[in-house]
Amino acid sequence: MNVTSILRAVRRLPISGKVGLVLVLFWIAIAAIGPFIAPYPPGSFANEEVFAGSSGQFWLGSDFLGRDVLSRLLSGARFTVGLSAVAVTIAVCIGTGFALMAAVGPRWVDELLSRAMDTLISIPSKIFALVLVAAFGSSLVLLTLIIAITYVPGNFRIARSLAVGLVRLDYVEVARARGEGRLHLALVEVLPNMIKPLFADIGLRFVFIVLLLSGLSFLGLGLQPPDADLGSLVRENTSGLAEGALAIIAPAVAIASLTVGVNLLIDAATQGKAR
Amino acid sequence: MSAASPASPWRGPLTLIAKRVGMAFVTLVLVSAVIFTISGLLPGDAAQEVLGQGATPEQIAALRHEMGLDRPALLRYLEWLKGIASGDPGDSLVANMPVADIISERLPNTLVLAGLTTLFAVPIAFLIGIWSAVTRGRSADRALNLMTLAMVALPEFLVATIAVLVFSVKLLWLPSITIVPQDPTLGEFLRAYAMPVLVLGVGVIAQLGRMIRAAIIAELDRPYVEMARLKGVSPRRLIFRHVLPNAVGPIVNAMALSLSYLFGGAIIVETIFSYPGLASLMVNAVTSRDMPLLQACAMLFCATYLLLVLIADTVAILANPRLRQG
């Protein structure tokens, strides 16, 4: 994968895919530099007017306490994108790790893991997350872990079916006959060939995670003040809903542009392969 | 159905269905163990929670004994399971009322909301799924694909916010919170439910529509469709008489999945519109750490989900004539 081949792949994306890519890159950039380009500190009461509309000084108006919405959005995006990225990484590492164990390990390991994951997958994810939050609370670290664990079973299921399919192939049999250990089989023979199809699942799971995190924060069960992700911003400003305040629409649209962007990108990328 | 006679063609499917029922039951028991274990892992337990920070260790020990929290976990689990199964999951820690009473007051509301959303969303999802499957690859399909792709990724509170802005704030058509009056007229009833159903329906329509499209397209690639086309079967007859009956299995499965998605959406939608349903009750139970209530709600959602999947499996088995040969 060098720069030119990536550029060529990008140029071949349909327009929807390019839009998705731009949105995704935009939000990654905002997550990286957002707090540094914010015009005001996110906690400062910059505007005397609450729920002010857009103006030259306050591009996205002010929130229910008169704070600058743009500044709060720029620092909230970091939590939403960053926390979701960490959570999806944890979920995929655990899920795919277990999947590889199930695929190359002895039969009883596969049986045990598959049974356990089948059980967890029959608990709807939002319900599961609510039970976990009720039991453990939602500090930053625990919240990330809870969201990650919620999406482990889904990733396990996809990764296991990919890995089991690969393990049956001749080249893995040959490696096994060569006397390679299970760790080698899993990491050197099977994993590299799963990466591409796994990417679509990772993207999809990232979307689910962003939605779950914002949903929990919207319910007041996610990130706790003074930290605020985009979902918390929507929650804070619900009192402005009746007047159609920008303070509630802006963060909601921000979340949607991130999730829709990822979805468009995955769709375009996977369709290109099928053609 | 006289299913018991050995020669019956229904024998194969019935054994399969019996197996599925057994599996669903085992899964439900395992799920109950997971939920009980997680919610029992609290750093401080319910006694601590009830007495608050100022309680002395002796008071806590006494209440723990009174609540039976000092007995072995397995024993407590079995008693809890017995309670849940017999419809009496104990008392709420916060409301001092039997959990069963609280739930039976809220459950009908959520069932009405879910039922109305299903009635609204499923026909539209079929329309979208069939339409984009028959126009596969052409501009109508591409437009629908982009539309549903965006719709699945929208957070419910954005759809709700936009709906409130349009229908309550700008047009002044609908109330922004859902209050169903006593003995509503049909008009009042529809007005009260229009927005929650619309918001909840968006996700279901998108998800189900996409899965129906996939199920139909998988059938369209099969040789019998080619055969039917060559025979001169009209496109409409092809879809409704040939393809749809064969796609029943995956489609009912998709319906079960997207209806379970509806529960997740209901958590947000009921909260936004201050609708007194089971999902917002569960959110309150999390906030107040009312474990008996939370456990009961979680079990109810999981049981419903498993039941939906079981029904879908059963329909798929019964609809598959190959299993009926006996």
Side-chain angles (χ1 to χ4, degrees), chain A:
Chain A
M1 274 295 223
N2 52 22
V3 181
T4 41
S5 74
I6 291 176
L7 278 179
R8 202 178 312 133
V10 168
R11 214 170 306 136
R12 247 186 290 144
L13 284 177
I15 299 196
S16 63
K18 284 184 185 133
V19 172
L21 183 64
V22 168
L23 285 172
V24 171
L25 291 177
F26 172 76
W27 283 112
I28 293 176
I30 293 292
I33 60 162
F36 305 113
I37 56 169
Y40 301 91
S44 80
F45 306 108
N47 194 334
E48 283 184 3
E49 193 188 341
V50 299
F51 292 131
S54 173
S55 65
Q57 212 181 348
F58 303 94
W59 287 3
L60 293 176
S62 65
D63 74 352
F64 75 117
L65 291 175
R67 294 173 294 191
D68 179 41
V69 173
L70 177 63
S71 305
R72 289 187 69 70
L73 203 144
L74 286 173
S75 59
R78 167 171 280 192
F79 278 111
T80 300
V81 176
L83 222 141
S84 304
V86 173
V88 82
T89 311
I90 299 174
V92 170
C93 285
I94 300 179
T96 307
F98 279 171
L100 287 171
M101 276 165 66
V104 302
R107 201 164 157 67
W108 63 269
V109 174
D110 185 20
E111 283 290 327
L112 190 73
L113 283 170
S114 298
R115 269 294 124 247
M117 294 295 171
D118 277 351
T119 304
L120 293 183
I121 223 167
S122 11
I123 308 176
S125 49
K126 272 198 186 119
I127 308 285
F128 191 43
L130 283 186
V131 174
L132 286 170
V133 167
F136 299 109
S138 49
S139 70
L140 198 59
V141 176
L142 283 175
L143 187 65
T144 315
L145 283 176
I146 285 171
I147 291 177
I149 289 170
T150 307
Y151 284 106
V152 164
N155 176 262
F156 172 83
R157 202 179 241 195
I158 304 279
R160 182 189 168 275
S161 75
L162 286 171
V164 166
L166 286 169
V167 164
R168 291 207 193 99
L169 296 183
D170 287 345
Y171 81 93
V172 180
E173 274 308 310
V174 170
R176 207 192 287 266
R178 226 170 32 224
E180 304 285 6
R182 283 188 170 132
L183 194 66
H184 174 96
L185 289 181
L187 297 182
V188 181
E189 308 290 345
V190 177
L191 184 62
N193 290 303
M194 289 166 60
I195 300 259
K196 258 192 188 164
L198 257 187
F199 261 116
D201 184 64
I202 294 172
L204 214 61
R205 231 148 278 286
F206 179 78
V207 171
F208 291 151
I209 284 179
V210 169
L211 291 176
L212 178 65
L213 171 67
S214 336
L216 285 176
S217 291
F218 172 77
L219 295 172
L221 303 171
L223 229 53
Q224 299 302 319
D227 293 339
D229 68 347
L230 296 174
S232 325
L233 295 188
V234 178
R235 173 188 176 78
E236 288 175 352
N237 294 302
T238 32
S239 57
L241 182 58
E243 41 187 306
L246 206 50
I248 183 170
I249 303 168
V253 170
I255 298 168
S257 67
L258 171 62
T259 50
V260 171
V262 175
N263 249 2
L264 289 177
L265 181 61
I266 307 171
D267 181 65
T270 47
Q271 266 183 5
K273 218 177 295 158
R275 240 177 255 149

Side-chain angles (χ1 to χ4, degrees), chain B residues 154-198:
Chain B
L154 291 183
E156 286 91 359
F157 49 75
L158 175 64
V159 186
T161 307
I162 294 173
V164 168
L165 273 184
V166 174
F167 296 112
S168 310
V169 180
K170 295 273 182 274
L171 297 173
L172 301 172
W173 282 357
L174 299 168
S176 65
I177 57 171
T178 303
I179 302 167
V180 185
Q182 293 277 314
D183 301 317
T185 63
L186 185 64
E188 283 171 340
F189 183 77
L190 291 180
R191 262 172 60 88
Y193 277 103
M195 265 204 298
V197 166
L198 180 77

Side-chain angles (χ1 to χ4, degrees), chain B residues 187-218:
Chain B
E188 283 171 340
F189 183 77
L190 291 180
R191 262 172 60 88
Y193 277 103
M195 265 204 298
V197 166
L198 180 77
V199 173
L200 207 47
V202 165
V204 180
I205 289 172
Q207 222 175 22
L208 186 56
R210 293 181 71 81
M211 289 191 282
I212 290 177
R213 173 186 183 273
I216 295 179
I217 281 185

Side-chain angles (χ1 to χ4, degrees), chain B residues 242-317:
Chain B
H242 295 256
V243 170
L244 276 184
N246 279 301
V248 162
I251 287 178
V252 284
N253 239 314
M255 283 171 68
L257 279 181
S258 49
L259 290 181
S260 76
Y261 160 87
L262 199 149
F263 297 143
I267 294 176
I268 308 274
V269 170
E270 288 186 2
T271 308
I272 294 180
F273 294 107
S274 317
Y275 181 75
L278 200 61
S280 55
L281 182 69
M282 193 175 164
V283 174
N284 295 343
V286 177
T287 320
S288 57
R289 297 187 100 181
D290 190 345
M291 282 304 167
L293 183 58
L294 177 74
Q295 291 166 333
C297 290
M299 283 307 292
L300 208 54
F301 279 116
C302 294
T304 316
Y305 172 67
L306 284 170
L307 186 68
L308 284 172
V309 173
L310 185 63
I311 294 174
D313 277 351
T314 308
V315 172
I317 291 170

